[in-house]
Structure formats: C-alpha cells, structure tokens
Amino acid sequence: MTPTQIKPSLPTLTLNVNGKLHSFMLGEGLHEVSPSHTLAYTLRERLGLTGTKISCDEGACGCCTVLMDGKAVLSCILLTVECGEKEIVTIEGLEDPETGELDPLQQSFIDHTAFQCGFCTPGIIMSAKALLVENPSPTRDEVKEALSGNFCRCISNYHVLDAVIAAARKGGGE
Amino acid sequence: MKNFAHYNARSVAEATHLLAAYEGKAKLNAGGSDLIGVLKDRILPDYPEAVINIKTIPGLNTIEENDGGINIGALTKLVDIINSPLIKKNCPVLKETARTVASPQIRNVATLGGNLCQDTRCWYYRYPDGIGGMIKCFRKGGKTCHAVPGENQYHAIMGAKKCFAVCPSDTAVALTALGAVLTVAGTKGTRTLPVEEFYTPLGNMLALDEMITSVNIPKPDPAAEQAFLKFTLRKPIDFAIVSVASVITLDQGICADARIILGAVAPTPVRAHKAEEYLKGKKLSDDTAAEAAMLATVGANPLSKNIYKLEIVKTLVKRVINSGSCLS
Amino acid sequence: MITDYRYIGKPTLRKDAFDIVTGKAKFISDLTVPGMLYGKILRSPLPHALIKSINTTEAKLLPGVKAVLTYKDVPDWKAGARPQHVRVLDSKVRYVGQAVALVAAETEKIAEEAIRLIKVEYEPLPAVYDVEEAMQPDAPLIYEQFNANVLPPESRAFGPRTLQEIVIGDVDKGLAEADFVVEGTCAYENIPNPLPPETPGVIASWEGADNLTVWSASQGPHMFKVTLQPLMGGINIRSIGSPVGASYGSKYMSWQFVMPAAALSKATGKPVKLCFKKSEHLAAFTVRLGSRIHGKVGMKKDGTVTFLSGDWLVNTGAFSECAQFMIAVGCGEAQLMLRCPNWSLKPKVICTNRTASGQVRGFGGQELKCALIPLLTMAMEKANIDPVNFFKKNYVKPGDGYYWRDGEWWVCQGTDYTRAIEKGAETFGWKEKWQGWLKPTAVDGARRRGVGVGVHGNADIGEDVSEAFVRLDGDGKAIIHCSLAEHGTGQRSNICKMVAEVLQLPLERVFFTPVDSLVNPVEIGPVGSRGTYAIGNAVIAAAEDAQRQLFEKMAPLFKVTPEDLETSEGMVYVKGKPGAKLPWSKGLHYYGACLGRGRFEPDFSKPNFMIVFSEVEVDVETGKVDLIRVVCATDVGQVIDPPSLTNQLNGCLGSGGIDSALFEETIIDKRLGRIMNANMIDYKWRTFAELPEMELVVLETPVAGHRFHAIGVGEIATAPGPSAVLMAVSNAIGVRLNDYPLTPDRILNALGKVNAAKRRGKQ
C-alpha cells in the first residue's frame, strides 16, 4: 500500500444532532466544516446551538459537555469530522420536540435554583442526564462522581446535587 | 485550531503507512483528550501536517481472555475497562487506576493506548503559545530544562538527566505492576514490548511509523494482592503528584513476590527494585513496609521544590503494602 | 412588622431560569453582530522589555486581515487607577502576556494566524516580582513616574478624603497598655484568580466620529460610561450588558478588553468581537492583590486590642486597576473587625512585573484580612484567647465608629452580630472542637483534625448612588428601568420581587428593561453586596413613586384622596371597600403610563457580617489537607430569596475564596516571568467530588432603612474562609503557619519532613 492510495476524509459530513441530520461540505469556507473544527465549534458556529458553552476549551471544565451515543463527552476536544456516525444530543435537544416540555432534569434545576451565573449549567445538566440514563437512582456520591468533571465556580454544586437527586426520585428512582 | 489534513484510518496498516509517509509530521488521534489540547495551544515546534483518526480501525476495542492472560485492544476506552467484569476479576488494580484518570467525560472517550502514549504534562512543555510563545525546552530540541532552576514542584525526583518531565500515564503504572506487554505495529510488522520498557527519557519506544495495537496482561496469581494509590490535590481530574501500584503475592503471610511501581516521579514509571527484593521472603508488617518505603526512594535526586514528593512516595509505598487491597 | 410577605423571603422562580436550563441564555460569546470581525491580541513573551522594532507587514498581507495595530497606531487612551498609567498598547511591556499588537480579521482563525506573523524585537529589562525588592533603590523601574515602584495614594476616587491608611489614636499609648505584644510578618501572596467560567469578552462597534456601542459581559456595564468615557477622549459610549457568566468582581471596569476591541473597531469601521481564551483569562486579566503585613499588635489579657501598627505591602502587579480604591475599602473593613483605639497601618501599593491585580470579590478586604487575622492570632495565642470570643468582642457594634473609604467617620447603625457568632459557633460545635491554640481537635493515626474561624464584613451595602425608574403600564404591568446586570446572584429577579411586593403584582407581571445605558439611568452595578440595599432601595422608591402617581391619577375616579387607595393584581381599591375597584387601565389607559423615579444616596453606616468556621483533616504523612466541614453564619435582616442566598453563601468555596488557603494559586516562574499554571488542570479549583459538608446559619434581625429590612452579604462570603483554614491547619498540625496556600510541600516542610540537604538545582 502506498500513502497516495489512502484518501483523506470524505468531502462531506453528516452530523446527527438532536435527532436532525445536518450535511456539511468539508473545507475552509465560511459555511464549511474544517477538519480542525471541534464539535463544540461546529455546534455553536455552524448550527447556532450556543447552549453548549466553551470555557477552558481543552477538556478540563465540562462546560461543553454533550451526549454522544448517550454518554457524556466534551465537545471541545472532539473533532467534528470524527463525529459523523454518532448521535449527538445538546442541551437544546432535551426538551420534548413535540410539546416543548422540559426534561424533568431541567425542571428540577429550575425548581432548585441549581445555578447562579448559569454559564456552566448546560454542561452540568448534560453530565447529569448521562448519569440518569445509565443509573436512574444514583446516590448523592454517585452524582458527585458523575459531575466531578464539571466546573462550577459560583458553587451551585449543593443545589445541583439536590436537583439531580430530586429529578431521579421523580423519575421513579430511589 | 490551525488546519491539518485529516484521515480516517480503516486499518492498522493504513494508519502506520500514513505515519511513515508523513515522516513524523502526522499524529494519531484516538480519544483526543490529550492531542487536541496540544494542537490548540500550539506547544510543538512543528505543527502536525496530518491527524489520523484511528477510532475508525475495527477490532481494537475488545477485552478478551486468552491463554496468555487478558488482552485489551489499544482503542478500548477507559470507561469500558472500568466496567469490565474480566478486568475487575483479574486485574482490579487496572480498574482502580482507570477510575482515577481525569473526568467521567474524558474516561468516556480516552483509550488505553492513548493513556499510555499521552504527552507529558510538564507545564514548561505545555506552556501555551498564545501567552508570549511556547517554550522551547530540552524535550522540544532546546538546550535546557526550565524545571531545574524553576517551578519544579511536580517534576521528576529520580531517573531524569536532561528533561525532568514525568510520565503522566496512570495506567502505565498499573500495567507495569501487572507485567503487561504491548503489541506494537509498524509498517514492517508487529513486535511486542513490555510496558516496563516502553518509556524513554523523552517519550517512548515507538518508531515514527508505529502504534500500540493491544496490551496483554499475563494472568495474575489469584492470590496476589493488587493495589493502587494516587496522590493528587483533588479528585478526580488531577494528574498524579505521586502514584504507586503494587502486586504482592503472599504465602502464609510471607511475601513470595512483589512488584512495586512508582508513578509521576520520573520520566518513566519506576520499579522499586530494592524495595521489591527486600520484601521477598519477609513477613509483612509496619516495620517491613516502612523499610521497603525507605528503599523505594534510594537513588532519588530531587529538585529544589519537590523534595516533598519523596515523603509522599514513602507514605504511599508503605500504605500499598499495608492496605492489601485496591484503594484509590 | 409584616412577616407574611407574598414573595419576600420565599423561594420564587428566577426570571432567567428557563433560558439558563435550556441553553437559550445568550452570553457575550453567543452573540454576533452583522459584519462583525474577530479580534486577537499578540502578547508579550517577556516580563519587562522595550519594543525595539515591530513589523506588521506580513500580518497585514494575510487575506482576511482588516487591521493590525501596534503602540504606534492606537489612540492614546490611558487606563488604570489615577494617575492613569497604562496604555492599551505601549512601547514598553511590563508583564508576560501584556498586549503588544492587536489584529482584527474576518475569522478567529485568520486573526490567530495573523498575530503569529507579527515580528517584534525586544530589548529585555530586568524584572522584579517581590514587593520589597521592587522598592529597593536598584530595582528596575516599571514606570518612570512611580519612584521606587510605589504608586501615589489615590486622592479622589472616593472623595477628597479617600482613606489611604489607618492612623487613629496613639500607638505608643497602646503599647504601654498592652499585656502582650507580638510582631510578625503574615502574607497572602498566592494571587488566586477569581476565574469565572466565561472568559472576558466584548463586542465593540465604533460608529461615526465618537460613538461607541459596547456589548459586554460586565458586572456593571454602566461603569464604562463613568470610568471609560473620560479616558477615551470624552466619546459617547452606549453600554449594553448581557448575562454575565460570572464575574466575582473581576469583569467590571474592564478596559483590558473594551479598549482593544474599541481601537480595532475604530480602525476598521466594523464591529469587533474580542473574547479571551482561558489561558489569557488566567495569565493576562485579573488576579487578586498580593498582600503582606509586617505588623505589631498589643493585646490585653481579656482580648482587648490596645494597638495595631504595621506596613501593609500591596502587590498590584504590572499596573493598578484600582488597587488604591481597594486599600481604602480594606482599611475601612479592618476597623469593622477590630475595635481598637490606636492604629497605624500604612499601606503601600507597589508595581511588579507580573499580570496585574484588580478587583475581585472581597475587594481589598479579603486580601488584608488574610494577612491581618493571622497576625492577630499570634496575639490571641499568646493571650490564650479563644478566637470566637475575640471576634465576638471586637466586631463592630451599633454606636461604634470607623473611618470608611471616603475618609469620613461613620457611626454604626446596623446590627449587633453577637447572636450570629454565637449561633454559628453552636451549629459548628466550636466549644467541643476547640482545644486551644496549635492543638488538634482529634488525632487518628496520620490524620489530624483542626478547626479555625475567620470573620469579614463591609460597610458597602449602601455604597454609591443608584437610580431607577419603575413604569406602570395600563395593562397592569410594571417595568423596572435599571441597568442591573445579572451576574449570577439572582439579583435581577430579586429586585422584581421587591417591586411585585410593593405593588402587590404577580411576579410574572414585573419586567426588567435590558441592560442598556441608552434606556436606563445610571447604575454602577451589583458590587460590594450593594444590590439588596442600595439598588433595592432605589427601585423600591421608584415603585412607591409610581404607585403614588397612579393613586393621584385614579383618586378622582373614586372621588377619594390618593391616601385612601391601595392596589393589588393590577387593580386599584379603596381601602376597606373591596367592592370599589378599578383596573389600572382606567387611570392609565394605553398611553398614560406613570414613571416613578427612585434614588438611593450613599450610606456607610450599616456593616454586614460573615463568620466562617472550618474543620480540616491533615494527613501528616503526605501533607494533604482536606476541608471537611464549613459553617457560615450571618444576619441579613430579611431573606429576600432563600435559594439565591444559600447559593451565594455556598460560594465561599469558589472564586478565589476559601480554597486560596488550600490549593488555589497563580504560579510564576520568576526567571521567565511566566505563569506556569494558566490552564484549568494546573490552576486548581474545587470539584464536585471534593465538596465539604456545608451548613449555613442565617439570622434575620430587621434592619432600618430598607422597606423589607434587608441587607446584602453575597460579596463577603469568600473573605473569612482562607484565614479560618489557615488557623485550622495550624491547629491540626501544631505548627503556626502565616502564609498561603497550604499545599503538601508546605505542610511537610512545616512538619520538618522535607530535608533540604537532599535537593539539587537552585531555588
């Protein structure tokens, strides 16, 4: 095999975000996706899904957390070109698409004022969502562990723990 | 992030041939948790021309038991190692170690191969280009290691000569304790290499066309006690300041065999040979643990601000010997 | 008094809650403006150097680049505290990371590539980082005009008598009266970063000759009109705020991002967006002041302090954003904590070659307390005084006086916090846990527990003027006109509660105008815990004024006097006659809104208060300190919104607060002048996995001067923590520690477990 036989990534890319398919040309144009674009960048700058926040932009703070095939991942350290086959869910995708009703977790965050500045909240909610999908009735320590990669500098952490536990209870857990 | 060519490798052969074709100017990308930060901060003197996605290579993400022991594909995610009953049963020390790595989100994407191959966290090496330019240190072909006269609180206390960055991989420490062997593929074929021999003062033994494809762990003696302790300022996202993994086989309270590996103290994981030798044939007690702990630090040569790490090494070695089981 | 409020004191929905949990809240980084360019800053590699040459030719040729500015091209705007001394770009750099050149380009990527094409030659100059070295005659001079690198005292910020030192009574007399005298040096010099999650960001649009529109994440967007307009040649700034992805004081006057973006917009004629990366946020924005005290304290056996004297050396880094204002407030706050008749505490603000300090929650007070309380504890230890008793005895009481930041003597008319201290101590179990100075609470093998306590308070809940309008519309809605930015405290929602309570309107019918200086009166913003009392009072007054106008309009319809009327649910009633009612629309129609006006005048007579108790566990074999339990106690007069309050108090763990005693620090390589931990792995912050037990004690002793008898405490939550932890760790290990942070190396060192003979390499 010679290297010339190995082709770079396909010239188009289809992303599945919040159940909708989006096709992009790969390239450096204003509406294209560059191989160097991160998923966070594409979500925000190409799809207008600015609920996914960028803070540290290198995988240390959890603000950009989204679900990929149901698992919490950091969209700032994923290359968009490598996300083609995946199901991505962002904070914008948690509401019921038909009724617009909030996910019980979102409602619980509202009920518990589980935020202060709110910048890290979408990422925290996505991490918590991934937890509840996998473990519908987590203990407080399990919630702490699941959220341990999410920065909250205002220290809304205690209210967040209450909100997640309460949402789990409502969802039939514990 | 600056542009690069991007490939989705469909096979190990494709990946290794691309590596060869780019003559060191291409980077493999698995989980991306290390590489993307390296690229964004532009810490390397030569920005890679290509990024080769290896997640598209089938078959490298399985955990299997075979005659030789446990075989883990290099693309196996840390989360899958943590959740594997096979790993839990045979090598709990690896499970416990993987649990201490980074955040849940990173463990969901980071791979075993990537954890082993990640670049050092030395903050001179990692200094971002955007704040006055990256630092060209010894590891990048420069003349000096700035840590020696500088802020070296997290740097090597032993085994370093020109570059005092430490090996950041936690799993390397556990795998060395388990005597694991890597399968490495290149354009000219595959070879095997013990994890213990994988690291070099400035990186690892991979040739520029090579990648790790799997890790084989010889089946540990079921009677062996495995333990891992990682000292950090915070759980769970910190890299180790010091870590210690041990596999100790006891025969009626007497140590029949011991492997004690120190992490984050040197450019490579370090086997505490003197401590291991000392323990063999001894009855484990507070006194023997303390003596072994002392022996684990023999030959250390700390820098101006990291002498304290010696004390932590001693404490952790003592505690893994005394604990007799996995702790984190 | 009324206690059956409709909204006050009850948890209510945050007005922005839905937007926050759905990701719809638009922070500054989420905004775009048509035709917008992206700005980037080339930053200095050297801590101190002259720019010999700078070549932008190649950068300008890169397609998509619209402007490249150097010190030769930018307007001559000067910033920093008076005398203004920092230029947007200068021919000299004074810290690693200082702006050297600015680029505006069509995309962020192009801007990033362009700054790499700028060639700069520097002539390096020696750099200095330590305050005492910086004052030596042979030290490098960072600004020609500041002799010995000492900034002149600020003489105007807070009026003609702005407090710049504490000199009261006769120190010699105090010395003679003392039973114990201690002397020592205590320091808080790890310069933690407040580190809000959102990096600093702005969009600036220069229009015509002298109009600048600024969209920004500022805690007090209106302050750009107050502070930046005069510095930018008297242009007209329209300042529009956005939700702030937290600030903790740091994003306030913020010329550091406003002026570069404005210069680029002026040069290109297009709006320019400039958002810092996290590394820039950590290395080139705002850290806390460095604080060191060489001091002397005299104490009597009963804990009466007879004198306090010393030098307070304040390291402001490469420039003073407002360090002289901060020492004014710090000096005021020291007196609140200490009823002492004889003072001579002399601050000096000193420039050094590191990233600049600026305002952060605690505003000079935290920085001073973290050094001053350890000094006082040296005396308490000698006198064998329980620190809780000491604070109880010494915290300002109604009738006591103090010089506040304006240099005026104020007499406390606020709350006696003795009960809060007692209740906090009881909740914490202080009596059981306190074993005396340098004695652990409990020992279990290598693990030792210790307890400590710290206090803080300010008298800024009534600082500065606030103005607000409240508009009543015929459709039964109230609109608050006020440039109050939401930066996480929930204050915009809480102010709505106050108005809803005054007008007895459903909360859903109370609205806030957007934060925009073009539509709202002046508002310096929610700083210094002034939101509840100062802003609240202005808005309440506006609502009352609007209601008065409403009643005047509608009284004739009922043929009664305005005093006979009351309102609820958008209806006006005659008191005592529930049947006699009319909707607002009958008086206001659809065109006749009434606009009430409210104003608050500064009042520094009501100190607030926070006491923080901490319990730590130290592993003496590794040097690791774990924070086990924290109890905060305060008295707020009246809780406005319980969850907002608990969130704010829990915030004592964040924003460069309690953890600056444990692991938060900005680490500078003094050979290179570089900050080594300008990333969120190496800059340590508290994770969910490391949360201590937290208990809050909130008393409600009504305060005069506010319709709902409430005062604010959010800002002060962080300040008492660090010294409380320092005390706790000292007690746990039995060794006195006088500076921060208490990382394992320093603990092991204090325990004598680090054998210096073993080291190699040079310090």
Side-chain angles (χ1 to χ4, degrees):
Chain A
M1 185 175 351
T2 63
T4 50
Q5 291 173 292
I6 306 167
K7 295 278 184 287
S9 303
L10 292 170
T12 60
L13 170 76
T14 301
L15 280 186
N16 178 346
V17 181
N18 300 332
K20 288 188 190 139
L21 298 179
H22 303 271
S23 291
F24 294 101
M25 297 297 289
L26 285 187
E28 301 304 318
L30 269 184
H31 303 288
E32 294 174 337
V33 167
S34 162
S36 66
H37 285 170
T38 61
L39 179 61
Y41 182 87
T42 305
L43 292 171
R44 291 174 51 82
E45 305 295 329
R46 290 292 177 271
L47 297 176
L49 298 172
T50 54
T52 299
K53 301 297 174 201
I54 294 179
S55 173
C56 79
D57 207 18
E58 50 188 14
C61 74
C63 285
C64 66
T65 303
V66 299
L67 303 186
M68 190 165 78
D69 294 342
K71 297 241 183 232
V73 296
L74 301 170
S75 61
C76 79
I77 52 169
L78 292 172
L79 295 176
T80 307
V81 286
E82 299 180 3
C83 297
E85 307 290 310
K86 313 290 186 186
E87 279 182 27
I88 311 290
V89 178
T90 70
I91 187 77
E92 291 91 347
L94 287 190
E95 294 158 60
D96 187 302
E98 303 289 318
T99 63
E101 201 182 325
L102 296 181
D103 187 282
L105 195 52
Q106 290 172 304
Q107 190 57 49
S108 192
F109 269 62
I110 292 180
D111 296 342
H112 289 83
T113 318
F115 47 79
Q116 288 176 67
C117 78
F119 193 84
C120 60
T121 310
I124 291 176
I125 290 178
M126 296 316 284
S127 288
K129 181 71 189 170
L131 169 71
L132 295 188
V133 167
E134 207 160 280
N135 178 1
S137 30
T139 64
R140 207 168 169 90
D141 280 343
E142 285 168 338
V143 181
K144 284 184 186 176
E145 160 60 23
L147 299 180
S148 59
N150 287 85
F151 179 63
C152 173
R153 190 65 163 168
C154 296
I155 311 294
S156 305
N157 311 50
Y158 295 92
H159 288 209
V160 167
L161 294 175
D162 293 343
V164 177
I165 295 285
R169 286 202 182 121
K170 270 197 180 160
E174 280 196 283
Chain B
M1 215 181 337
K2 195 190 170 190
N3 292 341
F4 42 74
H6 184 269
Y7 297 86
N8 288 317
R10 287 163 300 183
S11 65
V12 171
E14 264 194 21
T16 55
H17 278 87
L18 280 165
L19 282 174
Y22 275 96
E23 296 176 333
K25 289 174 184 158
K27 289 276 179 192
L28 298 183
N29 189 33
S33 52
D34 182 43
L35 178 67
I36 304 303
V38 166
L39 299 181
K40 280 184 179 171
D41 282 338
R42 292 179 84 145
I43 65 169
L44 302 174
D46 296 310
Y47 193 82
E49 290 173 10
V51 169
I52 305 160
N53 178 21
I54 53 174
K55 290 187 288 296
T56 40
I57 301 174
L60 292 187
N61 59 354
T62 54
I63 304 173
E64 287 165 351
E65 194 167 7
N66 58 25
D67 293 347
I70 312 294
N71 197 70
I72 309 173
L75 290 174
T76 305
K77 290 172 183 150
L78 296 181
V79 65
D80 295 327
I81 289 173
I82 294 164
N83 292 333
S84 160
L86 203 55
I87 299 290
K88 185 181 175 188
K89 182 172 161 237
N90 293 287
C91 17
V93 67
L94 182 60
K95 174 193 160 104
E96 288 308 312
T97 303
R99 268 163 48 96
T100 70
V101 175
S103 62
Q105 295 100 313
I106 286 184
R107 298 195 289 269
N108 283 338
V109 296
T111 64
L112 183 59
N115 189 267
L116 290 170
C117 293
Q118 65 185 303
D119 221 336
T120 180
R121 302 303 304 188
C122 165
W123 50 28
Y124 292 93
Y125 184 79
R126 292 260 171 181
Y127 188 87
D129 196 58
I131 314 292
M134 63 91 168
I135 295 175
K136 196 164 179 201
C137 63
F138 187 83
R139 201 178 179 91
K140 296 182 198 170
K143 291 199 179 72
T144 53
C145 175
H146 295 278
V148 176
E151 295 300 311
N152 51 42
Q153 44 271 55
Y154 297 140
H155 285 78
I157 52 172
M158 54 178 75
K161 288 199 175 70
K162 300 280 193 182
C163 164
F164 285 76
V166 299
C167 174
S169 172
D170 291 318
T171 59
V173 182
L175 289 173
T176 304
L178 291 165
V181 175
L182 306 173
T183 301
V184 169
T187 48
K188 296 186 191 75
T190 62
R191 61 180 175 129
T192 58
L193 186 66
V195 176
E196 193 179 338
E197 294 165 23
F198 180 61
Y199 294 97
T200 62
L202 297 180
N204 60 47
M205 294 291 288
L206 291 180
L208 58 81
D209 69 335
E210 284 185 324
M211 62 179 277
I212 298 175
T213 55
S214 69
V215 179
N216 201 274
I217 303 170
K219 206 153 190 187
D221 184 336
E225 299 280 9
Q226 306 179 14
F228 178 73
L229 287 176
K230 174 172 168 177
F231 184 81
T232 59
L233 292 184
R234 302 168 303 166
K235 277 187 274 189
I237 64 167
D238 278 346
F239 288 85
I241 292 174
V242 175
S243 69
V244 177
S246 64
V247 178
I248 296 174
T249 312
L250 292 180
D251 186 4
Q252 295 174 339
I254 304 295
C255 174
D257 190 25
R259 285 174 74 93
I260 296 173
I261 318 300
L262 316 180
V265 297
T268 70
V270 171
R271 266 191 84 174
H273 286 290
K274 286 204 168 92
E276 291 176 1
E277 285 309 313
Y278 167 80
L279 284 178
K280 281 176 200 165
K282 297 265 186 337
K283 191 170 188 307
L284 295 194
S285 67
D286 286 353
D287 289 345
T288 48
E291 182 60 24
M294 189 61 76
L295 289 169
T297 62
V298 168
N301 199 1
L303 299 166
S304 56
K305 296 186 174 181
N306 66 13
I307 311 166
Y308 76 101
K309 285 176 72 165
L310 282 176
E311 197 60 28
I312 298 172
V313 169
K314 281 190 256 173
T315 302
L316 264 49
V317 169
K318 209 168 61 185
R319 288 180 186 174
V320 289
I321 294 170
N322 283 335
S323 74
S325 66
C326 273
L327 295 170
S328 60
Chain C
M1 61 174 290
I2 308 169
T3 48
D4 56 342
Y5 292 123
R6 182 168 173 178
Y7 298 117
I8 301 294
K10 297 178 175 145
T12 51
L13 185 73
R14 269 260 303 252
K15 288 260 180 186
D16 48 357
F18 178 82
D19 285 351
I20 285 174
V21 304
T22 55
K24 290 184 175 70
K26 294 289 178 212
F27 292 88
I28 186 67
S29 56
D30 305 330
L31 297 181
T32 53
V33 171
M36 185 177 91
L37 302 174
Y38 294 84
K40 279 280 160 202
I41 299 179
L42 174 67
R43 297 187 176 278
S44 165
L46 298 171
H48 200 190
L50 297 171
I51 296 175
K52 282 175 67 184
S53 74
I54 185 161
N55 185 335
T56 60
T57 314
E58 234 185 295
K60 282 177 175 158
L61 288 174
L62 190 70
V65 170
K66 299 297 177 190
V68 182
L69 305 179
T70 71
Y71 70 91
K72 296 169 190 168
D73 315 306
V74 289
D76 187 26
W77 298 327
K78 274 192 231 163
R82 269 187 293 257
Q84 273 84 30
H85 50 286
V86 210
R87 289 187 159 84
V88 185
L89 300 175
D90 204 343
S91 59
K92 187 180 180 185
V93 289
R94 295 174 172 88
Y95 68 97
V96 172
Q98 184 158 19
V100 170
L102 311 174
V103 169
E106 283 170 359
T107 69
E108 232 175 331
K109 209 170 195 170
I110 295 170
E112 251 168 48
E113 290 312 309
I115 60 168
R116 301 169 60 84
L117 297 173
I118 300 168
K119 306 224 168 13
V120 191
E121 266 188 284
Y122 297 94
E123 181 186 324
L125 300 169
V128 64
Y129 304 98
D130 180 86
V131 278
E132 288 178 69
E133 286 169 23
M135 290 190 294
Q136 296 302 314
D138 58 346
L141 207 54
I142 299 171
Y143 295 89
E144 291 292 316
Q145 64 270 40
F146 298 147
N147 192 28
N149 294 314
V150 177
L151 276 136
E154 169 57 70
S155 55
R156 287 182 291 169
F158 298 134
R161 293 155 59 91
T162 297
L163 191 65
Q164 290 294 286
E165 58 182 22
I166 321 175
V167 177
I168 303 171
D170 179 353
V171 166
D172 289 336
K173 184 165 166 277
L175 184 63
E177 288 168 5
D179 295 325
F180 305 97
V181 176
V182 296
E183 191 170 1
T185 298
C186 298
Y188 181 60
E189 297 182 291
N190 43 317
I191 51 171
N193 195 308
L195 197 60
E198 174 199 50
T199 61
V202 64
I203 300 172
S205 180
W206 196 282
E207 293 134 12
D210 59 358
N211 282 301
L212 176 66
T213 301
V214 175
W215 293 260
S216 76
S218 167
Q219 190 174 337
H222 211 110
M223 278 302 274
F224 296 160
K225 286 191 84 66
V226 179
T227 60
L228 299 191
Q229 255 181 207
L231 303 180
M232 296 172 78
I235 59 165
N236 176 53
I237 295 178
R238 176 183 176 190
S239 184
I240 300 172
S242 63
V244 186
S247 163
Y248 320 121
S250 64
K251 298 170 185 163
Y252 190 50
M253 293 179 278
S254 298
W255 68 270
Q256 302 98 309
F257 55 81
V258 176
M259 284 188 181
L264 286 169
S265 179
K266 190 178 186 196
T268 58
K270 298 221 170 185
V272 174
K273 183 175 189 175
L274 177 65
C275 289
F276 283 15
K277 286 174 169 254
K278 191 52 78 175
S279 52
E280 295 176 287
H281 187 181
L282 277 154
F285 188 54
T286 293
V287 293
R288 285 195 183 277
L289 295 169
S291 172
R292 185 187 302 171
I293 296 180
H294 300 302
K296 209 167 170 181
V297 177
M299 200 178 284
K300 288 191 181 170
K301 285 177 188 148
D302 67 353
T304 304
V305 177
T306 61
F307 78 96
L308 192 147
S309 68
D311 293 317
W312 180 23
L313 305 177
V314 176
N315 188 342
T316 187
F319 58 83
S320 166
E321 187 189 17
C322 52
Q324 297 101 307
F325 311 2
M326 293 168 73
I327 62 170
V329 173
C331 284
E333 287 166 345
Q335 299 162 70
L336 301 185
M337 179 196 63
L338 204 58
R339 302 159 95 193
C340 169
N342 306 301
W343 290 80
S344 175
L345 185 68
K346 306 233 170 167
K348 274 198 178 106
V349 177
I350 299 138
C351 282
T352 58
N353 292 108
R354 58 128 171 109
T355 189
S357 297
Q359 61 182 53
V360 185
R361 190 177 190 178
F363 201 76
Q366 176 168 331
E367 290 88 344
L368 177 57
K369 289 279 162 50
C370 288
L372 189 59
I373 290 181
L375 180 71
L376 288 166
T377 64
M378 291 165 72
M380 290 180 221
E381 181 190 336
K382 216 163 175 184
N384 196 22
I385 305 262
D386 180 324
V388 172
N389 292 336
F390 178 85
F391 292 136
K392 203 156 62 177
K393 180 183 179 74
N394 280 288
Y395 200 82
V396 67
K397 308 271 185 302
D400 291 343
Y402 46 87
Y403 288 104
W404 196 244
R405 65 179 208 187
D406 54 2
E408 302 297 332
W409 182 255
W410 289 82
V411 174
C412 172
Q413 297 173 26
T415 304
D416 182 338
Y417 292 106
T418 304
R419 222 161 54 85
I421 295 174
E422 287 170 349
K423 197 80 210 309
E426 191 189 314
T427 302
F428 183 76
W430 178 263
K431 269 192 190 145
E432 300 74 50
K433 292 176 193 289
W434 171 256
Q435 303 295 321
W437 289 100
L438 304 185
K439 294 198 176 76
T441 298
V443 178
D444 176 13
R447 296 177 211 283
R448 289 161 172 251
R449 294 269 176 124
V451 293
V453 59
V455 295
H456 183 67
N458 74 32
D460 274 343
I461 61 152
E463 68 177 326
D464 299 297
V465 169
S466 270
E467 288 191 340
F469 306 147
V470 169
R471 191 178 94 216
L472 306 186
D473 281 358
D475 60 359
K477 294 186 180 117
I479 295 96
I480 303 165
H481 292 244
C482 172
S483 272
L484 168 61
E486 181 55 70
H487 67 116
T489 60
Q491 200 61 271
R492 269 171 80 86
S493 302
N494 297 340
I495 294 287
C496 287
K497 291 174 78 161
M498 295 182 200
V499 169
E501 196 75 48
V502 170
L503 300 170
Q504 287 299 302
L505 266 188
L507 197 47
E508 307 79 58
R509 287 212 240 155
V510 179
F511 297 84
F512 231 114
T513 53
V515 179
D516 184 340
S517 63
L518 202 57
V519 293
N520 299 319
V522 65
E523 176 48 64
I524 77 150
V527 292
S529 288
R530 69 187 288 284
T532 299
Y533 194 80
I535 303 175
N537 259 322
V539 175
I540 289 166
E544 288 170 344
D545 185 37
Q547 190 187 58
R548 181 187 56 75
Q549 294 177 37
L550 174 74
F551 291 168
E552 278 172 8
K553 280 194 182 188
M554 294 191 67
L557 300 176
F558 293 101
K559 300 193 171 63
V560 296
T561 62
E563 292 72 33
D564 296 327
L565 298 179
E566 60 188 4
T567 181
S568 78
E569 320 312 310
M571 304 289 288
V572 173
Y573 297 81
V574 177
K575 286 179 194 165
K577 293 184 186 169
K581 61 175 180 181
L582 286 171
W584 291 5
S585 60
K586 289 293 174 196
L588 302 178
H589 310 290
Y590 66 88
Y591 47 78
C594 32
L595 189 64
R597 186 171 177 153
R599 186 178 161 87
F600 173 81
E601 293 290 345
D603 170 7
F604 299 113
S605 69
K606 296 190 176 67
N608 60 9
F609 173 75
M610 188 75 62
I611 186 164
V612 170
F613 299 85
S614 74
E615 180 166 1
V616 300
E617 184 172 278
V618 184
D619 182 334
V620 294
E621 292 181 353
T622 62
K624 175 84 194 301
V625 182
D626 286 316
L627 185 60
I628 303 297
R629 186 156 171 261
V630 174
V631 171
C632 303
T634 185
D635 190 328
V636 300
Q638 162 73 49
V639 177
I640 303 294
D641 187 60
S644 302
L645 180 64
T646 52
N647 264 331
Q648 281 286 293
L649 299 189
N650 290 338
C652 71
L653 299 177
S655 56
I658 208 163
D659 287 335
S660 59
L662 292 172
F663 44 64
E664 283 196 34
E665 58 178 326
T666 298
I667 297 168
I668 301 172
D669 178 311
K670 295 189 177 65
R671 286 169 55 260
L672 304 174
R674 296 190 176 211
I675 291 175
M676 301 320 303
N677 60 337
N679 64 71
M680 286 184 60
I681 296 282
D682 292 316
Y683 189 92
K684 307 297 181 190
W685 42 274
R686 189 162 289 271
T687 65
F688 268 90
E690 296 273 3
L691 294 175
E693 273 179 60
M694 174 76 79
E695 275 174 88
L696 307 173
V697 175
V698 177
L699 303 186
E700 295 179 276
T701 308
V703 175
H706 187 280
R707 177 162 170 156
F708 305 114
H709 316 284
I711 58 169
V713 292
E715 190 246 358
I716 60 170
T718 57
S723 64
V725 167
L726 190 79
M727 189 192 293
V729 174
S730 297
N731 290 335
I733 67 172
V735 179
R736 166 167 286 282
L737 297 157
N738 284 339
D739 55 7
Y740 311 77
L742 302 166
T743 44
D745 51 332
R746 297 195 50 245
I747 298 295
L748 291 172
N749 206 359
L751 290 166
K753 295 192 173 183
V754 173
N755 180 357
K758 278 190 181 165
R759 79 170 182 209
R760 90 165 160 207
K762 284 174 198 147
Q763 196 81 33

